[in-house]
DNA sequence: GCCGTTTTCGGCCCGACTGTTTTCAGTCG
């Protein structure tokens, strides 16, 4: 049980309370508590251990704390169970339909007896729904699209959800003596942002105790299939996990094979065939078995690297194995040296308790130094229009800058940069006047409202914002929330062209729900000469972990150290920002933009 | 249900959009 699960439970209670017509402020209390818990920096165990520690969190009182304790210790919550009893059967899926809130769901349940997604879909198609007051043609259209979306997202998990589970299983198996080697394979190893299952590969000559330990894991809910070399289970969170056991000799081949992608492997096997080999999960075999010289060469395969070498290729890091040109590049020796954690020097784009973050500037800075050995951290709280996030007006921003300045005088450990995540307003202007932005070290501009503009309007809006001299970085470009919300309509090519023209840095937002810019578009941006900022968008010290997820995207996007501005020293970064601003001022001087 | 306090009740963020209305409710961020 972790904080996220408990926060989800509280959110569900809020929704159910609203569904049952409870007091709006009680509902809000549960929503606030969910957010407060999610933002709390201490791990759940600490919060539960000390008596009264939970209640110290602002937004969590006696009653909700009791609910949390009950749920965390027993996995159930009486009050929640009571609320669920009176809710439709397929409640969990129904509430995920965009555009369907508690009030409309109430009407659908009362008037049509809707209990499941299927019943809702049928009622939409037969026209029953349009007869209800408040429901029209458009609503039904939206509901049908929403149902399709819920279905397409089910059975998929965000990278960290899969990774956490996989790590726990690996840790559990690692201690067994019969486990010679163990690796997470599949899409997790390729660091895909969304995964469907977990693949774990073990090298062993003694599979039985490993199999027994695997199926006995507390995370395993049921066993789907169990053979000598492969076991499939469903985990408590509904995710499928496959364990494969191979002989130690076959391990590198199996690891390569089960890492995929399928497309990469198909391409690789074709190459092997051309060279007179047959490649599969058990080995690389000469087509002509009698060719002893070749066979001897293969005896030296101990690692995946050796397989690629045997095929005349550079080693292809798992992140690149999507058959998007990596095999051709590896053949020419032109694979990039991917950016790595060790290259990372400074953190840009973090929130604090000045806006919607949970922790103080000091705490964020301290942890940035401790966890990432960062030389600098840019605090970028929300701007004034973001009222839902307690955005700062110019006066509070001025005070925050003063606070930062006095902090920097005291500490030489890490330098805190003053910044903002400034809203891009509907007309493409920025949420602070130019003279305010000018005083900041670092400005991220992002869209947080008015998502439903036409593709042309949205493209124009962003392109205009990029021309502002102080628009250093474009934040979460597409606005998508993985498995939750589609990106807004946007002509990405035009936006990238504008970013290249204006020397705007593009953010790779490391929030696991965003991972935006998508790695699939990184190369197109890089080819235009665009630089990237890999940012955590952390709303608490725990959120600093997002850097890791952002780096996964950068690596999947073929980026090197020189593509990522976080790898610059503080001086070089600030010089770059200054030069880019001057460049845009000269553009503005030519009449394309005037500072408002 | 939570918070704060001139401390045990009164207030709790709010604007925009959408689709449905004929002045507004529901949803979202």
């Amino acid at each position: 049980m972790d904080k996220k699960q408990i926060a989800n439970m509280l959110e569900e209670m809020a929704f159910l309370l609203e569904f049952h017509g409870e007091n709006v402020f009680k509902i809000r209390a549960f929503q606030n508590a969910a957010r407060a818990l999610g933002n709390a920096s201490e791990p759940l165990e600490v919060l539960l251990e000390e008596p009264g520690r939970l209640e110290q969190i602002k937004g969590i009182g006696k009653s909700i704390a009791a609910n949390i304790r009950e749920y965390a210790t027993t996995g159930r919550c009486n009050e929640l169970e009571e609320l669920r009893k009176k809710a439709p059967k397929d409640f969990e899926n129904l509430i995920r339909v965009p555009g369907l809130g508690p009030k409309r769901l109430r009407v659908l349940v009362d008037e049509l007896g809707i209990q499941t997604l299927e019943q809702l879909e049928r009622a939409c198609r037969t026209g029953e729904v349009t007869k209800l007051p408040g429901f029209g043609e458009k609503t039904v259209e939206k509901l049908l699209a929403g149902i399709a979306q819920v279905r397409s997202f089910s059975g998929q998990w965000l990278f960290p959800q899969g990774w956490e589970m996989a790590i726990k299983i690996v840790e559990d198996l690692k201690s067994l003596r019969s486990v010679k080697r163990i690796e997470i394979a599949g899409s997790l190893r390729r660091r895909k942002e969304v995964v469907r299952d977990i693949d774990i590969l073990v090298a062993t000559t003694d599979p039985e105790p490993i199999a027994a330990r695997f199926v006995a894991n507390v995370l395993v809910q049921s066993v789907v299939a169990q053979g000598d070399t492969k076991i499939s289970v469903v985990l408590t969170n509904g995710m499928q996990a496959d364990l494969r056991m191979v002989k130690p000799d076959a391990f590198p081949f199996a690891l390569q094979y089960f890492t995929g992608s399928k497309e990469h492997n198909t391409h690789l096997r074709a190459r092997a065939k051309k060279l007179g080999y047959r490649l599969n999960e058990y080995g690389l075999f000469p087509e002509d078995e009698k060719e002893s010289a070749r066979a001897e060469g293969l005896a030296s395969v101990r690692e995946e690297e050796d397989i690629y070498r045997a095929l005349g290729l550079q080693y292809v890091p798992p992140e690149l194995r999507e058959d998007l040109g990596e095999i051709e590049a590896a053949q020419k020796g032109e694979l990039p040296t991917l950016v790595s954690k060790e290259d990372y020097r400074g953190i840009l784009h973090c929130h604090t308790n000045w806006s919607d973050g949970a922790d103080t500037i000091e705490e964020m800075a301290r942890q940035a130094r401790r966890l990432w050995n960062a030389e600098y951290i840019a605090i970028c709280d929300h701007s004034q229009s973001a009222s839902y996030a307690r955005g700062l007006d110019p006066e509070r921003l001025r005070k925050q800058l003063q606070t930062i300045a006095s902090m920097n005088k005291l500490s030489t450990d890490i330098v805190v940069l003053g910044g903002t995540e400034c809203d891009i307003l509907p007309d493409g202007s920025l949420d602070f006047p130019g003279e305010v932005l000018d005083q900041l070290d670092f400005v991220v501009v992002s869209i947080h409202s008015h998502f439903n503009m036409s593709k042309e309007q949205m493209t124009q809006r962003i392109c205009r914002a990029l021309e502002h001299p102080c628009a250093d970085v474009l934040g979460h470009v597409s606005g998508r929330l993985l498995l939750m919300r589609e990106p807004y309509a946007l002509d990405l090519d035009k936006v990238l062209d504008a970013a290249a023209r204006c020397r705007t840095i593009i953010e790779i937002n490391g929030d696991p729900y965003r991972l935006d810019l998508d790695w699939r578009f990184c190369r197109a941006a890089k080819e235009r000469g665009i630089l990237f900022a890999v940012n955590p968008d952390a709303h608490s010290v725990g959120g600093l972990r997002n850097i890791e997820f952002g780096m996964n995207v950068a690596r999947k996007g073929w980026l090197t150290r020189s593509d990522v501005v976080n790898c610059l020293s503080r001086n070089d970064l600030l010089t770059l920002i200054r030069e880019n601003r001057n460049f845009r001022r000269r553009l503005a001087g030519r009449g394309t933009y005037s500072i408002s």
Side-chain angles (χ1 to χ4, degrees):
Chain A
M1 190 78 63
D2 60 21
K3 282 192 289 189
K4 184 78 203 155
Q5 281 169 281
I6 302 213
N8 287 343
M9 183 273 288
L10 295 171
E11 292 278 8
E12 186 182 341
M13 284 192 72
F15 198 106
L16 281 164
L17 289 167
E18 196 167 0
F19 177 78
H20 292 305
E22 261 285 359
N23 176 328
V24 288
F25 296 112
K26 181 171 173 179
I27 294 157
R28 195 176 297 163
F30 276 85
Q31 290 166 340
N32 290 341
R35 201 175 45 237
L37 184 71
N39 283 339
S41 42
E42 295 89 345
L44 184 65
E45 303 84 70
V46 175
L47 294 172
L48 291 172
E49 236 168 63
E50 277 180 55
R53 185 68 198 79
L54 267 178
E55 286 90 335
Q56 280 171 13
I57 298 173
K58 200 170 164 244
I60 297 179
K62 253 187 170 173
S63 160
I64 290 182
N67 281 327
I68 292 175
R69 287 204 187 86
E70 183 190 357
Y71 191 67
T73 48
T74 68
R76 289 170 44 91
C77 170
N78 240 333
E79 197 175 340
L80 174 65
E81 299 297 328
E82 285 304 313
L83 290 167
R84 272 182 180 164
K85 269 185 201 162
K86 293 174 278 179
K89 210 166 63 182
D90 201 11
F91 176 78
E92 280 183 35
N93 277 319
L94 286 166
I95 64 173
R96 288 168 59 212
V97 176
L100 185 59
K103 300 279 168 61
R104 287 206 179 113
L105 182 58
R106 177 91 247 178
V107 175
L108 290 167
V109 171
D110 287 350
E111 300 299 322
L112 303 176
I114 301 292
Q115 294 285 317
T116 65
L117 272 189
E118 288 66 34
Q119 290 171 353
L120 176 59
E121 184 178 17
R122 204 172 317 127
C124 282
R125 296 203 190 282
T126 57
E128 280 179 279
V129 175
T130 38
K131 288 183 201 144
L132 298 173
F135 289 81
E137 296 279 339
K138 287 276 180 64
T139 307
V140 166
E141 246 174 66
K142 267 180 94 171
L143 288 177
L144 283 170
I147 292 167
Q149 187 185 302
V150 169
R151 291 213 177 107
S152 75
F153 287 161
S154 76
Q156 299 190 66
W157 282 265
L158 295 181
F159 173 81
Q161 298 170 330
W163 188 256
E164 301 295 327
M165 289 295 227
I167 287 288
K168 282 179 189 160
I169 295 170
V170 167
E171 287 302 319
D172 182 49
L173 294 178
K174 239 182 184 169
S175 56
L176 295 176
R177 281 181 48 201
S178 20
V179 173
K180 300 298 173 211
R181 299 177 72 174
I182 182 163
E183 289 279 353
I184 297 167
S187 48
L188 280 173
R189 183 157 184 252
R190 300 202 314 280
R191 304 298 195 267
K192 280 286 289 289
E193 66 278 26
V194 164
V195 299
R196 291 186 174 275
D197 61 3
I198 294 172
D199 290 293
I200 293 171
L201 183 69
V202 168
T204 184
T205 49
D206 180 22
E208 266 176 41
I210 303 171
R213 181 67 163 259
F214 179 60
V215 298
N217 193 303
V218 288
L219 296 174
V220 172
Q221 189 172 63
S222 60
V223 179
V224 178
Q226 182 163 8
D228 294 338
T229 62
K230 180 186 166 183
I231 305 172
S232 292
V233 300
V234 174
L235 302 176
T236 47
N237 69 350
M239 210 172 179
Q240 181 165 325
D242 294 344
L243 174 72
R244 290 164 209 269
M245 293 169 288
V246 300
K247 299 246 161 57
D249 282 350
F251 188 81
F253 299 101
L255 182 60
Q256 196 289 316
Y257 181 85
F258 290 117
T259 297
S261 66
K262 205 168 76 192
E263 293 76 13
H264 174 87
N265 287 353
T266 305
H267 196 155
L268 202 65
R269 283 199 301 273
R271 180 174 173 83
K273 196 176 163 79
K274 218 186 279 176
L275 295 173
Y277 294 115
R278 184 165 48 88
L279 176 65
N280 60 30
E281 63 264 54
Y282 303 108
L284 181 62
F285 306 102
E287 287 285 14
D288 179 358
E289 298 280 355
K290 286 170 197 160
E291 263 190 77
S292 56
R294 275 183 173 173
E296 270 169 32
L298 299 178
S300 64
V301 170
R302 292 277 175 275
E303 304 293 337
E304 266 188 330
E305 280 86 342
D306 304 324
I307 303 172
Y308 285 91
R309 191 178 311 118
L311 296 174
L313 300 172
Q314 274 181 297
Y315 175 66
V316 180
E319 293 94 325
L320 299 189
R321 300 184 196 168
E322 302 291 347
D323 195 27
L324 295 171
E326 71 277 8
I327 292 176
E328 293 84 345
Q331 187 193 341
K332 293 185 209 148
E334 289 174 359
L335 278 181
T337 304
L338 299 181
V339 63
S340 76
K341 275 188 200 175
E342 290 69 39
D343 300 323
Y344 202 83
R345 297 178 71 170
I347 297 175
L348 307 166
H349 191 178
C350 288
H351 297 269
T352 71
N353 59 1
W354 284 69
S355 69
D356 60 347
D359 295 310
T360 62
I361 302 171
E362 291 88 339
E363 193 55 24
M364 294 297 285
R366 187 161 48 235
Q367 294 298 329
R369 183 71 194 174
R370 197 174 73 83
L371 299 173
W372 284 89
N373 200 25
E375 291 171 28
Y376 51 91
I377 178 170
I379 301 301
C380 298
D381 275 312
H382 287 283
S383 59
Q384 49 194 344
S385 286
S387 55
Y388 59 90
R390 299 206 318 124
L392 279 65
D393 60 23
E395 181 53 25
R396 283 183 68 221
L397 182 61
R398 197 180 57 78
K399 282 187 185 147
Q400 189 185 44
L401 287 177
Q402 283 174 353
T403 308
I404 289 173
S406 50
M407 273 181 61
N408 282 332
K409 273 184 201 149
L410 293 175
S411 159
T412 50
D413 231 14
I414 179 168
V415 173
V416 182
L417 303 178
T420 180
E421 181 180 18
C422 184
D423 266 33
I424 298 174
L425 303 179
D427 67 353
S429 62
L430 300 185
D431 195 22
F432 283 128
E435 60 268 23
V436 171
L437 294 173
D438 231 4
Q439 296 163 24
L440 300 169
D441 298 316
F442 193 75
V443 175
V444 179
V445 299
S446 329
I447 287 190
H448 291 110
S449 64
H450 301 82
F451 294 115
N452 288 328
M453 294 168 78
S454 73
K455 187 172 180 177
E456 291 69 30
Q457 286 175 318
M458 189 60 99
T459 305
Q460 212 174 11
R461 174 185 181 186
I462 296 177
C463 290
R464 174 157 186 244
L466 298 190
E467 290 175 2
H468 193 292
C470 294
D472 302 321
V473 176
L474 174 61
H476 46 71
V477 182
S478 84
R480 73 175 180 185
L481 292 178
L482 289 167
L483 307 183
M484 284 169 64
R485 185 176 77 201
E486 297 293 340
Y488 34 69
L490 187 70
D491 187 332
L492 185 65
D493 276 323
K494 280 192 182 153
V495 169
L496 293 181
D497 284 342
R501 193 175 64 244
C502 300
R503 297 194 185 167
T504 316
I505 298 162
I506 296 284
E507 177 178 75
I508 293 177
N509 188 300
D511 183 321
Y513 279 98
R514 292 191 183 273
L515 299 178
D516 187 8
L517 186 68
D518 190 307
W519 56 268
R520 293 162 187 83
F521 304 124
C522 286
R523 285 161 79 192
K526 178 179 171 164
E527 276 161 20
R528 289 167 162 90
I530 290 172
L531 294 176
F532 301 83
V534 176
N535 296 341
D537 195 1
H539 285 69
S540 66
V541 293
L544 292 172
R545 168 132 197 249
N546 293 350
I547 294 168
E548 197 184 314
F549 309 134
M551 291 297 267
N552 289 342
V553 173
R555 288 173 61 86
K556 277 193 91 62
W558 292 53
L559 302 186
T560 66
R561 189 172 64 181
S562 56
D563 297 316
V564 177
V565 299
N566 311 70
C567 302
L568 294 172
S569 71
R570 178 175 58 99
N571 275 337
D572 287 349
L573 174 80
L574 293 178
T575 303
L576 175 76
I577 296 291
R578 197 168 50 239
E579 285 173 0
N580 285 351
R581 285 187 188 182
N582 284 334
F583 177 81
R584 281 188 295 274
R585 276 194 194 97
R586 288 199 295 277
L587 281 186
R590 290 207 290 270
T592 53
Y593 196 92
S594 57
I595 305 173
S596 52

